Amino acid sequence: MNDTVYRLLALCARAQCDVAFYQHLAQEADRLREWEEVPAQAEAQGMAPLFYAHCKTAGIVLPLAVKRELQGLILRHRHANQVRTRALHDILSAFEAAGIPALVLKGAALCHLVYPQPGLRPMSDLDILVPESEARRAQRLLAELGFNAPLSAGPGFPHRHLTGATLQAEGIVVTAEIHIKLFGGDLDSVLLAHLQPLVSPISRPIVRVRAPMQGHMVPGRITGQGESWMALAGLTVPPLPFLSGEMKAYTLGYEDMLGHLCLHLTSHVNMVDFARLIWVADIVSFAERFVSAIDWERVQRQSPFVLDTLSLLHCTTPLSDELLSLAPIKMGPAPGGIGVEYQGWPQTWGKGWRSKGYCRVLRDTLFPSEWWLRMRYQLGSTRPLFWYRWLHHPFYILGLMLRELVKGLVNSFSMQEVLCSH
Amino acid sequence: MFPLSRPRRELDYRLEMIDGELLLFHPGKTKIMYCNQSASLIWRLCDGQHTVEEITSLLGQAFPEAADTIPAEVEATLQQFHEHGAIEYIGEGDQTDSSIFRTPAG
């Protein structure tokens, strides 16, 4: 993506702005000469409605073709959000009638909590957290509501959410995912278990194990609300009520929400995916909107990676003075390559190697941008980069390559056995 | 398009306003179409009940000062809707035959 386009979109990655921000945005927009790729990039980043709204407030005159393309995107997202919200209300009503406690996660909650209009926050699906013991019943209820809701036969669930249930409604496909925990184990923790003996210990662990948050029983009733909640995996504070249209719903409490959003963002900073700016907007907007209500000491104690993430996001879209004064965010110098995503192996593979050049791909694989490394390994803008740059990341890549090699060898042996048996 | 055929809106197409402009779009497709006031009236009349002739007549009553240009405008707009996939024709014929539709000279 064009650097100027990224900077422009990144600046807009927030729900609320002040006059100084709009002046800054207008100045950045003045620098942009080629606007053609803006709608497509804004859409890829989930930013089309927010970008358009901020440009309009800033008085930026968009080229007509760009304006019209963005308007089309906005109307589609607005409609899709309305359809998804109606589906969400049906789901929550059904769950309530069946006595299944449910928390609404991510976009479906945030669009009402932090954005001036829900349509500013595009959604791709509905994420709903339920107790693991109720997951099958929840999935069956979705089927009764008309969703195509697959249910695996075996006991237990291999992932943190069930297979998405889908419903065709008013021209779009509504997907609802039943989550049983906020985060599952990921490759990092598996690989680390193998790599740990190879890495010499230092006073501070070289590798940061991203363990799921420890859940515990959320006791009794939400104060004044009259509901009781069973154990929901990953919660450390009581849920937060909010209004989805006219309907009362619940989502993660302040500190859990911040932790969840930050982990979600950084989990997408990997070799095959990228962190969308709309997720940056979620985090920044939530932190700024509820800055006085958030227990920042708890955040620092329980999920320090939130503060590290915020310190990096400040380089993308400047955090408010209030947030900087209340949250113990340590600021370091802006890292190099802000917004530059990973471009090495395995994202570049096969023909890409040849067209890009092997040396270039090798460099991109072993030495990605500083910004990417800091986001990926939750280093914030102040933690030392050395061990991750020169040891952790190269070993991680080596581990992945070995894994792929072993997988390839096992597959080819299996194929040979099959051929020989015939 | 025959005068007695009845245009009908395809399912899920929507006409909505944004920043003072009317857009015709389908939630699952990328193409959009900008509509002026008369186009939006024509769209609303594409209910499968009104014939092309009736739509033309109704618009003529609504905009008497533009009576000469309305037939051509209705034809062009319906053609655009049809090319966009936003309407289908039911009733008599489904072929566009603009010679049937033009107002006689003089």
Side-chain angles (χ1 to χ4, degrees), chain A residues 105-186:
Chain A
L105 304 178
K106 293 193 274 177
L110 292 167
C111 67
H112 297 285
L113 268 174
V114 296
Y115 292 88
Q117 292 111 39
L120 291 174
R121 189 3 176 128
M123 284 188 255
S124 55
D125 52 24
L126 302 171
D127 299 285
I128 304 164
L129 178 69
V130 303
E132 187 168 348
S133 58
E134 298 284 18
R136 285 187 187 278
R137 207 155 69 97
Q139 191 81 340
R140 279 193 281 270
L141 276 172
L142 291 181
E144 286 173 25
L145 288 172
F147 281 81
N148 175 14
L151 202 52
S152 59
F157 305 102
H159 306 292
R160 60 185 167 84
H161 59 77
L162 278 64
T163 306
T166 56
L167 174 73
Q168 187 79 29
E170 299 179 59
I172 67 161
V173 175
V174 178
T175 304
E177 282 184 353
I178 299 296
H179 291 245
I180 54 170
K181 47 188 162 185
L182 290 177
F183 267 94
D186 57 11

Side-chain angles (χ1 to χ4, degrees), chain A residues 334-378:
Chain A
I338 294 172
V340 175
E341 299 294 345
Y342 184 81
Q343 291 159 40
W345 175 89
Q347 203 174 119
T348 306
W349 182 240
K351 286 179 190 168
W353 281 77
R354 287 185 283 280
S355 63
K356 214 174 165 185
Y358 292 102
C359 289
R360 173 79 185 269
V361 174
L362 204 59
R363 191 198 72 190
D364 289 343
T365 302
L366 294 174
F367 304 107
S369 74
E370 182 188 355
W371 177 87
W372 187 90
L373 279 171
R374 288 187 174 280
M375 284 288 281
R376 168 76 183 145
Y377 298 112
Q378 296 168 355

Side-chain angles (χ1 to χ4, degrees), chain A residues 52 56 67-69 71-72 74-76 78-79 82 170-172, chain B residues 12 14 16-19 21 23 25-30 32 34:
Chain A
Y52 182 87
K56 193 176 154 193
K67 178 184 167 190
R68 292 198 156 174
E69 204 174 333
Q71 285 176 332
I74 286 158
L75 284 179
R76 283 203 293 278
R78 188 197 295 172
H79 169 76
Q82 287 167 352
E170 299 179 59
I172 67 161
Chain B
D12 294 329
R14 305 175 66 83
E16 290 190 14
M17 181 165 290
I18 180 169
D19 292 338
E21 294 192 278
L23 273 81
F25 71 101
H26 185 286
K29 299 179 184 175
T30 52
I32 55 171
Y34 277 76

Side-chain angles (χ1 to χ4, degrees), chain A residues 75-320:
Chain A
L75 284 179
R76 283 203 293 278
H77 283 305
R78 188 197 295 172
H79 169 76
N81 270 25
Q82 287 167 352
V83 174
R84 289 192 173 101
T85 299
R86 283 194 283 274
L88 177 67
H89 291 178
D90 290 342
I91 293 168
L92 293 179
S93 297
F95 284 9
E96 190 179 30
I100 299 177
L103 293 192
V104 181
L105 304 178
K106 293 193 274 177
L110 292 167
C111 67
H112 297 285
L113 268 174
V114 296
Y115 292 88
Q117 292 111 39
L120 291 174
R121 189 3 176 128
M123 284 188 255
S124 55
D125 52 24
L126 302 171
D127 299 285
I128 304 164
L129 178 69
V130 303
E132 187 168 348
S133 58
E134 298 284 18
R136 285 187 187 278
R137 207 155 69 97
Q139 191 81 340
R140 279 193 281 270
L141 276 172
L142 291 181
E144 286 173 25
L145 288 172
F147 281 81
N148 175 14
L151 202 52
S152 59
F157 305 102
H159 306 292
R160 60 185 167 84
H161 59 77
L162 278 64
T163 306
T166 56
L167 174 73
Q168 187 79 29
E170 299 179 59
I172 67 161
V173 175
V174 178
T175 304
E177 282 184 353
I178 299 296
H179 291 245
I180 54 170
K181 47 188 162 185
L182 290 177
F183 267 94
D186 57 11
L187 177 63
D188 279 338
S189 52
V190 168
L191 188 58
L192 288 168
H194 294 290
L195 289 182
Q196 195 71 43
L198 302 176
V199 179
S200 58
I202 54 173
S203 58
R204 192 174 177 303
I206 292 172
V207 290
R208 190 187 302 219
V209 178
R210 266 193 273 137
M213 287 186 280
Q214 298 301 310
H216 61 259
M217 182 76 71
V218 177
R221 295 167 181 272
I222 307 271
T223 310
Q225 303 304 318
E227 284 95 347
S228 61
W229 296 85
M230 296 168 61
L232 283 160
L235 266 65
T236 63
V237 292
L240 183 68
F242 71 99
L243 278 180
S244 168
E246 299 291 318
M247 182 168 200
K248 187 175 164 188
Y250 291 89
T251 186
L252 298 173
Y254 300 117
E255 296 80 20
D256 285 342
M257 175 71 92
L258 267 184
H260 185 233
L261 293 178
C262 288
L263 283 178
H264 175 257
L265 175 79
T266 53
S267 75
H268 283 272
V269 180
N270 56 46
M271 283 73 176
V272 295
D273 204 348
F274 68 98
R276 284 155 186 80
L277 285 171
I278 191 61
W279 300 332
V280 172
D282 289 344
I283 295 168
V284 170
S285 305
F286 189 87
E288 291 183 347
R289 168 83 172 79
F290 297 111
V291 61
S292 305
I294 293 167
D295 182 346
W296 290 105
E297 280 180 18
R298 186 186 194 102
V299 170
Q300 190 169 33
R301 198 172 57 243
Q302 175 179 290
S303 39
F305 56 86
V306 167
L307 302 172
D308 291 330
T309 304
L310 283 169
S311 79
L312 285 173
L313 297 187
H314 179 68
C315 306
T316 312
T317 183
L319 304 179
S320 69

